[in-house]
Amino acid sequence: MTAGKEPVYFKDPDKLVDHIIATVGKEITFGTQLGLGKPNNIMNALFRRAKEDPSIKLRIITALSLEPPVWSSDLERRMLEPIRERLWKGYVELEYAAAARTKTLPPNVEISEFFYKAGAFMNNDHMQQNYISTNYTHAARDVVNNGMNVAGALLGRKEIDGKVMFSMGCNGDTAMDAIDLMRERQEKDGKPTLVLGEINTKLPFMYGDAVGEPSLCDAVLDNAEIETRLFNVPREAVSTVDYMIGVNASTLLKDDGTLQVGIGSLGDAVAYALIARHKNNADYRGVVERSGLLDSSKELIEEWGGLDVFDKGLYGSTEMFVDGFLQLYKNDIMKRRCYDNIHIQRLVHDGVVKDGVVTPNALVALIKNESIHRRMQKKDFDLLLEFGILKDGLKYEDGSIIDGDKRYSADFHDTDNLKAVAANCMGTKLKKGYWIHAGFYVGPQDFYDTVNAMSEEERMQINMTSVLNVNQLYANNKYIGEDLKVLHRKNGRFINAGLMVTLSGAVVSDMLESGKVVSGVGGQYNFVSMAQALADGRGALMIRSTRGEGKDVVSNVVFNYGHTTVPRHLRDIIITEYGLADIRGKRDKDIATLLINVADSRFQENLLAQAKKAGKVPASYMIPEQFRNNTPEKLEKILAPAREKGLFPAFPFGTDFMPDEIALGKALRTFKAKAEESKFGVMKDIASSWFSPAPANAQKYLERMKLEKPANGKEKFMQKVVINALKMTGAI
């Protein structure tokens, strides 16, 4: 597209598909962002056209194709259908995603993703075979190298200073960079390409690097009548295990530091623990003390973290702007501000500017540091005005600063001139500070509502940008340089989740040793390596010590495993519900024993025996007594006093689910686990209750499931399943 040229606008997605085919032909490789940022209506129209016309060869390259929940049984339908109607009504579902899930893709359509919803495609040959493994910072490059000739994005639109602007703010992560690379490829090989946008008026308009002119796009779908509801990701319940991992992680954060954390119950647990540390410090410290963490990890916490409230606050540098960050912001923790200018950031870093308050010292420091010329030029003046060093309303003209009818020389070789400007022209507070740089967002409905309700000034403190900006330190021409990134990421703590950790310190997060892809690498490797590169940075990977229920429970701390996501040489800190294992730079025997110390005690002896057999731990070594009581029961006792005061609830930030739905969900999950453990046992319980009337206190649950008056034997069986499930969890 020619710079400054307006895009072609469409209301009918089918006519836009005609435009795609007329421009690039019938071999279409459609690249689009992960998660929320997909242009659903455009993609659906294109997918339908490909189904109708086998001569079209369509390849879709993306990640995290979001779908509302589906059911595989009548009982699941009764549970999920009302929730689906309430939470996702109005969401335009991705037709290609449903076809991929149900294995009904036409032969001329291929789906390649680089990150899956965890476990979604374990038994799907097409998705397993066409998966692309890539670091998040390489995703744009790899999508373009796979032949992307059409790029599509969901866009916000707003008039700014009388000019219409677009924002890729829900997914600035890869789109901008992929478009640039695709344009470069087009110039090189001459093959036509298209950049498509789909306007969504419900999408919060986010600022920062994701804002651009409409000329970014070649064609735009603009039709409010068919736009999709934003995909709602309900908050998960936070378990005791999750909370203890969150508490352990929270002790690693320094005041005046930097946080990166992801979505889900573990991310919520970290956010809640940080809020408890800030708002309920005595109770928070009580949990930490009862956990024994101050005995096992005192030096680590004192050197790298802390337990105090956040006076200066935190700043977020994260690929994902999750709801947890918004909760931290609401609770006055995300109050450290960073600036996208090295000279201004140095003033803050060096303490010349404190709490954003501007004094003449800031102007003097900028001159001494040669950040601005002593004989101030227009570009120096613009910088000072932009960031609030000088007050609003001033003008620069012929080497002078104009303040209404007053004129001050900008030649600071003359100290009297400097004193006059310092006395009369200074601003009061720094401007254009950000409390977070992030690549993309997705969350529950009230996340979108909260962001939409922010004032423009508030929203401008959030910079939605590229993953090249937040996930790596390397300098680049388009975004900020490496030196500035280092200053931003002061006391950086990059906290992510993994599936398993080996006794050598390697972490498994994305794939099984069978080769089955569970999810994806995403930005995990990027943040792990960045933590190693920063002198004051640490990376922490959260691992639940076990998975499974009852007799099927297994350890996630393993001796060895046939796949690695994070290699052992990048080992840093491992967090389980039982503590912190600081394994950076340690000897192999130390790594093994530290990890055994934070494993579930049911598996410790076997792990130790394996390590001894392999000669990795001395034969005389014994597990210290203080780590021999790593049990779920211990965790419940640690949290109990705080829970009696209303702290550490199942849904710390609220939920879209009704109380009865929460109880039913827990009961049915418990029943399923019991049935997998002993099918005979649960069938015996159902049979023994077959002729008994439904308990009175079960009626509201049965009504919710429409099983209060079973019409046939199948419905009666389901009724008894529900009743027995509720009894198992003590709901009735």
Side-chain angles (χ1 to χ4, degrees):
M1 169 173 280
T2 304
K5 185 178 179 181
E6 282 291 306
V8 182
Y9 286 87
F10 293 86
K11 284 190 173 296
D12 184 347
D14 290 316
K15 292 188 181 301
L16 180 48
V17 171
D18 292 337
H19 181 67
I20 294 172
I21 294 171
T23 304
V24 304
K26 290 190 173 183
E27 289 198 12
I28 302 166
T29 300
F30 193 107
T32 187
Q33 301 108 309
L34 60 77
L36 192 65
K38 295 176 175 55
N40 290 25
N41 283 296
I42 296 174
M43 299 186 77
N44 282 349
L46 183 58
F47 177 68
R48 286 193 295 267
R49 185 71 61 87
K51 284 204 303 183
E52 295 164 1
D53 183 355
S55 68
I56 293 174
K57 183 179 179 182
L58 174 62
R59 185 181 184 193
I60 295 172
I61 308 180
T62 185
L64 278 179
S65 298
L66 301 170
E67 286 191 285
V70 295
W71 44 83
S72 58
S73 69
D74 191 25
L75 190 62
E76 284 186 2
R77 179 189 64 77
R78 291 167 185 265
M79 180 69 197
L80 292 174
E81 195 169 45
I83 297 173
R84 183 182 168 112
E85 174 70 13
R86 188 172 73 245
L87 301 188
W88 288 280
K89 185 177 182 180
Y91 175 67
V92 176
E93 298 188 38
L94 291 163
E95 295 175 23
Y96 79 83
R101 171 175 45 81
T102 57
K103 304 178 183 179
T104 56
L105 285 170
N108 60 320
V109 177
E110 177 184 300
I111 311 298
S112 289
E113 298 206 3
F114 61 86
F115 201 101
Y116 296 149
K117 178 184 175 183
F121 296 112
M122 294 288 285
N123 298 307
N124 189 310
D125 290 350
H126 179 94
M127 299 302 284
Q128 289 289 327
Q129 291 168 14
N130 290 290
Y131 172 79
I132 298 173
S133 182
T134 185
N135 286 331
Y136 203 3
T137 49
H138 298 154
R141 177 202 69 188
D142 291 345
V143 171
V144 171
N145 285 344
N146 271 274
M148 179 177 75
N149 57 4
V150 180
L154 195 68
L155 300 174
R157 178 175 57 193
K158 188 175 185 63
E159 188 174 297
I160 302 175
D161 297 329
K163 188 175 183 179
V164 172
M165 301 294 284
F166 288 166
S167 172
M168 292 185 179
C170 70
N171 278 87
D173 48 359
T174 55
M176 301 174 293
D177 306 306
I179 290 169
D180 286 347
L181 291 170
M182 186 177 74
R183 297 293 198 206
E184 290 174 11
R185 180 66 61 86
Q186 179 185 16
E187 291 179 8
K188 185 177 180 180
D189 62 22
K191 294 181 180 178
T193 63
L194 276 174
V195 177
L196 310 177
E198 181 172 321
I199 303 296
N200 190 298
T201 60
K202 303 178 182 70
L203 190 69
F205 188 94
M206 306 301 288
Y207 292 90
D209 297 317
V211 176
E213 296 187 3
S215 58
L216 171 77
C217 297
D218 299 300
V220 173
L221 181 67
D222 183 10
N223 187 344
E225 294 181 2
I226 63 171
E227 69 182 24
T228 182
R229 173 181 180 168
L230 301 182
F231 191 87
N232 184 354
V233 181
R235 298 181 183 93
E236 302 172 6
V238 182
S239 68
T240 296
V241 167
D242 295 340
Y243 268 132
M244 289 307 304
I245 291 175
V247 168
N248 294 340
S250 71
T251 66
L252 297 172
L253 272 292
K254 276 187 177 294
D255 191 19
D256 201 24
T258 303
L259 174 65
Q260 181 266 325
V261 73
I263 197 170
S265 60
L266 283 174
D268 285 351
V270 174
Y272 183 84
L274 290 169
I275 293 168
R277 171 177 159 179
H278 189 60
K279 296 283 190 179
N280 305 93
N281 192 260
D283 294 305
Y284 167 82
R285 285 174 177 268
V287 172
V288 174
E289 289 168 5
R290 288 190 296 275
S291 72
L293 200 61
L294 295 181
D295 296 324
S296 61
S297 301
K298 183 179 180 181
E299 292 181 2
L300 176 66
I301 294 170
E302 287 179 347
E303 181 178 359
W304 294 96
L307 304 178
D308 294 332
V309 299
F310 294 98
D311 179 32
K312 296 179 180 179
L314 300 177
Y315 150 78
S317 181
T318 182
E319 64 185 30
M320 189 173 187
F321 175 23
V322 294
D323 180 57
F325 276 109
L326 201 55
Q327 303 299 330
L328 291 168
Y329 175 75
K330 289 177 181 178
N331 283 276
D332 200 31
I333 293 173
M334 305 303 301
K335 52 191 175 185
R336 180 178 163 235
R337 295 293 181 269
C338 286
Y339 303 84
D340 280 357
N341 181 279
I342 188 70
H343 309 297
I344 303 300
Q345 188 63 40
R346 278 190 180 131
L347 294 178
V348 177
H349 185 269
D350 295 341
V352 176
V353 174
K354 298 179 181 179
D355 299 322
V357 177
V358 174
T359 68
N361 290 337
L363 181 59
V364 172
L366 289 170
I367 295 169
K368 285 185 176 179
N369 294 339
E370 297 184 351
S371 298
I372 63 172
H373 296 85
R374 193 168 286 273
R375 182 177 285 109
M376 190 166 66
Q377 300 175 4
K378 178 65 164 60
K379 65 178 181 179
D380 300 324
F381 174 83
D382 291 342
L383 170 69
L384 301 180
L385 201 64
E386 178 184 3
F387 286 94
I389 302 294
L390 295 179
K391 66 183 182 181
D392 291 336
L394 300 178
K395 295 180 180 179
Y396 182 89
E397 183 179 293
D398 297 330
S400 296
I401 299 172
I402 312 300
D403 183 12
D405 58 356
K406 297 178 182 178
R407 180 182 291 263
Y408 303 94
S409 172
D411 185 352
F412 298 142
H413 289 94
D414 187 330
T415 56
D416 289 337
N417 288 341
L418 178 58
K419 288 178 181 179
V421 170
N424 298 286
C425 300
M426 298 302 297
T428 55
K429 293 279 287 186
L430 283 183
K431 297 189 296 186
K432 300 193 71 172
Y434 300 112
W435 61 266
I436 189 171
H437 283 76
F440 74 102
Y441 65 76
V442 65
Q445 184 59 47
D446 63 4
F447 173 91
Y448 308 133
D449 294 341
T450 299
V451 176
N452 263 323
M454 286 180 171
S455 67
E456 296 302 302
E457 183 181 4
E458 245 189 318
R459 223 178 303 145
M460 285 180 179
Q461 296 176 42
I462 300 168
N463 189 334
M464 300 303 297
T465 185
S466 163
V467 291
L468 298 183
N469 207 6
V470 292
N471 285 34
Q472 64 180 19
L473 290 177
Y474 320 130
N476 53 66
N477 294 327
K478 188 174 180 182
Y479 306 105
I480 61 178
E482 185 172 337
D483 290 345
L484 180 52
K485 290 183 182 184
V486 171
L487 294 182
H488 279 182
R489 290 154 176 77
K490 179 181 179 182
N491 296 317
R493 301 294 179 266
F494 308 103
I495 303 173
N496 293 284
L499 299 175
M500 292 175 274
V501 59
T502 72
L503 292 191
S504 70
V507 173
V508 181
S509 299
D510 68 314
M511 190 175 80
L512 305 182
E513 59 186 354
S514 64
K516 295 284 188 181
V517 178
V518 178
S519 54
V521 177
Q524 184 170 111
Y525 181 89
N526 296 137
F527 284 108
V528 166
S529 58
M530 182 160 54
Q532 298 279 352
L534 290 165
D536 57 356
R538 296 302 300 264
L541 292 171
M542 302 179 287
I543 310 286
R544 296 181 179 96
S545 71
T546 64
R547 66 183 184 277
E549 300 283 345
K551 68 178 183 180
D552 294 324
V553 67
V554 296
S555 178
N556 285 328
V557 182
V558 297
F559 175 69
N560 200 12
Y561 197 71
H563 170 69
T564 292
T565 310
V566 177
R568 65 190 300 261
H569 67 270
L570 291 179
R571 60 195 180 277
D572 204 333
I573 298 173
I574 299 296
I575 308 172
T576 76
E577 61 269 36
Y578 297 114
L580 303 168
D582 181 6
I583 58 175
R584 180 193 276 190
K586 298 292 197 303
R587 300 171 298 184
D588 276 8
K589 67 176 181 179
D590 298 323
I591 294 169
T593 55
L594 285 167
L595 289 169
I596 290 171
N597 288 347
V598 297
D600 188 291
S601 289
R602 289 169 287 183
F603 304 97
Q604 287 176 323
E605 289 297 342
N606 183 55
L607 287 168
L608 180 58
Q610 288 179 281
K612 287 181 176 180
K613 183 178 179 181
K616 302 302 290 186
V617 171
S620 60
Y621 178 81
M622 297 181 64
I623 300 169
E625 190 61 35
Q626 69 184 106
F627 303 114
R628 289 178 169 272
N629 188 32
N630 290 351
T631 65
E633 294 76 20
K634 173 189 173 183
L635 302 178
E636 297 294 344
K637 291 178 181 177
I638 291 169
L639 286 184
R643 280 181 163 156
E644 289 174 1
K645 297 181 180 181
L647 302 175
F648 298 95
F651 292 93
F653 305 129
T655 178
D656 288 316
F657 302 119
M658 304 299 183
D660 292 350
E661 291 170 343
I662 295 170
L664 279 165
K666 179 180 178 181
L668 292 174
R669 287 192 300 272
T670 301
F671 182 89
K672 184 178 180 180
K674 292 285 186 182
E676 290 174 354
E677 186 176 329
S678 174
K679 190 173 183 179
F680 175 78
V682 297
M683 292 301 294
K684 182 180 178 182
D685 291 340
I686 289 173
S688 64
S689 64
W690 190 260
F691 297 105
S692 302
N697 58 356
Q699 285 303 313
K700 63 178 181 178
Y701 301 109
L702 296 175
E703 289 172 6
R704 165 60 180 76
M705 299 289 285
K706 297 184 178 180
L707 290 170
E708 71 276 17
K709 294 180 180 179
N712 50 47
K714 178 183 176 182
E715 289 191 357
K716 186 172 183 179
F717 179 80
M718 288 190 289
Q719 183 197 66
K720 297 302 178 184
V721 167
V722 172
I723 291 170
N724 278 274
L726 291 166
K727 287 180 178 178
M728 286 178 182
T729 56
I732 61 173

